[in-house]
Every structure is written in C-alpha cells, then in structure tokens.
Amino acid sequence: MMIGSARAQVDTSAQNLMVVVREAIGANQNSETLEPLGRGRLKLSDGREFEFELAAFLLLGDMQIRFVFDGPQFMSNAKPQDRARLGLAPAEALALAVANIKRVYGDPVAKPWEMGLMQVEGRSPDLDSSYVLDRAFWRHLLREHPEGLVVAVPKRGALLFTPANEEAKVQWLPDNIARLHATSGKLRVSSALYLFKDDRWTVFQSPRSE
C-alpha cells in the first residue's frame, strides 16, 4: 500500500482510521509522548514551497506516528481536522487505529528471525512496524520476560525484539540495526533501540546521528 495525499474513494470514517510509524529525523525524545509535530514545509521540483500539517505526533526516540485512512491502492494521510471531526483525542485515536489494524490485518505474530531474534508480523508488511504501538501484545510478552524486551524498528517491514537478559543478542543489535536502518532508504524508521519494561517504553539506545 502506498501513502498518498489523494483522498478520492478513500473512506475517512473512524472505522477506517489507521496509524503508521515513521522517522522523525533529528529527534531524540527520551520519554514516551504524543506531541503534535505541527506544520511542515515542502519544496516542489519547480521551486515552489507550501505549508502542510498532518495528524502526526512525536512518539519516542526518533519515531513519529501519522494517522492515515486505509484505501484499496494507497493510504491517505489524515489531517488534524479529521481527528477533530471524529471527536478523538490523540490517545483515543491511537487506540482506535491500532484496533482497526488488528481487525483488518490480523493480530501480530512473533516469528524467528536472524541471530535468534524475533520478528513481529501481520498480514501487511507496510504496517508491521505499527505493531510497536500494540501495547496489549507487548504486555503479553512481558509476562514471559519481566526483565524487559529490547525492540528495534529499523524499517517498515522489520519490527524485531529480544529479551533484555539475552546479552549476546542485545550486543549484536546496535551496529546491525543501524546498518539495516541506514540502507533502507525511504522505508527506514528508527536507528534507536527501545526497552519495554514495567508497562512503559523508554529509549534503550539513542538514535544514531547522521
């Protein structure tokens, strides 16, 4: 699924609201938040510039979330006016968007990946990274691993984790995740590592500087 700005034939109702995780270049947010990103500027190939604003929020580390509406060929970016029209506070919109993803594309499933790491997948690779927002999933894993889970989201189709007490795997992550992030082009999400423990997210290793 491609993400675009065209909205023709895209259902913009609450039941079609979803959320994607994207890179917030240069950000290094230490604590979990939902801080509006505000207006941005885009320069066209002919030199013209214009302002835009999406329903987008800084989340943690160098990750941001963007609300979108799912379509048959692409996803349409939601705007702040859409969230206001639906009468949803940011946290409410996030909970609904994650629930919609799971209803349409399935619950997340953890499968073995390289080096003994686990990869989280659903039925749409474009949305695999969004499962980092599924708190119920991570809470369930935490029951088996109360020491915490070290999590990486280097690109859209790669949501990886390992228990925090598996030292060899944790030590393997930093350079290799940074390399995967750096070579993923427009699909990249985050160069940081995250820790889910005690029912909260924190930055385990800060994002790499460019």
Side-chain angles (χ1 to χ4, degrees):
M1 291 168 294
M2 297 175 59
I3 295 182
S5 58
R7 296 169 71 105
Q9 299 181 343
V10 174
D11 177 6
T12 59
S13 68
Q15 68 178 3
N16 203 39
L17 182 70
M18 296 189 182
V19 63
V20 294
V21 184
R22 295 292 182 262
E23 184 176 29
I25 298 174
N28 187 7
Q29 174 66 32
N30 288 323
S31 58
E32 193 175 2
T33 185
L34 283 176
E35 178 184 337
L37 286 178
R39 291 184 175 274
R41 296 188 65 85
L42 183 64
K43 188 172 184 178
L44 302 178
S45 57
D46 61 6
R48 290 181 298 163
E49 294 186 1
F50 68 93
E51 284 192 343
F52 66 94
E53 186 173 10
L54 305 177
F57 298 82
L58 183 61
L59 180 67
L60 182 66
D62 57 350
M63 289 193 297
Q64 62 168 290
I65 63 168
R66 296 182 190 174
F67 290 104
V68 297
F69 294 105
D70 196 16
Q73 302 298 328
F74 59 87
M75 286 184 169
S76 175
N77 289 308
K79 299 179 180 180
Q81 302 93 303
D82 291 310
R83 187 175 58 79
R85 171 176 55 83
L86 297 174
L88 297 169
E92 294 172 328
L94 179 56
L96 176 61
V98 171
N100 286 340
I101 289 173
K102 293 167 70 174
R103 172 174 50 82
V104 176
Y105 294 105
D107 291 328
V109 176
K111 298 180 178 180
W113 196 68
E114 299 175 15
M115 295 297 296
L117 300 176
M118 300 297 290
Q119 179 168 4
V120 181
E121 299 178 346
R123 294 198 296 265
S124 172
D126 275 351
L127 291 169
D128 283 350
S129 55
S130 294
Y131 289 117
V132 73
L133 306 169
D134 183 4
R135 216 170 193 92
F137 173 75
W138 298 102
R139 284 170 175 163
H140 178 76
L141 289 175
L142 206 57
R143 294 175 196 159
E144 300 177 24
H145 304 287
E147 71 279 3
L149 300 154
V150 178
V151 180
V153 199
K155 65 176 186 176
R156 297 180 199 177
L159 173 55
L160 311 169
F161 74 89
T162 186
N165 64 352
E166 298 192 7
E167 294 183 7
K169 296 174 186 177
V170 172
Q171 291 175 4
W172 182 89
L173 280 169
D175 290 341
N176 289 281
I177 290 301
R179 189 177 303 112
L180 180 56
H181 170 265
T183 57
S184 293
K186 294 181 179 180
L187 296 180
R188 74 185 202 174
V189 176
S190 176
S191 63
L193 297 177
Y194 303 93
L195 177 68
F196 188 68
K197 184 179 180 180
D198 299 328
D199 199 35
R200 68 189 185 101
W201 287 101
T202 56
V203 174
F204 184 80
Q205 179 174 287
S206 297
R208 297 288 182 99
S209 58
E210 293 291 331

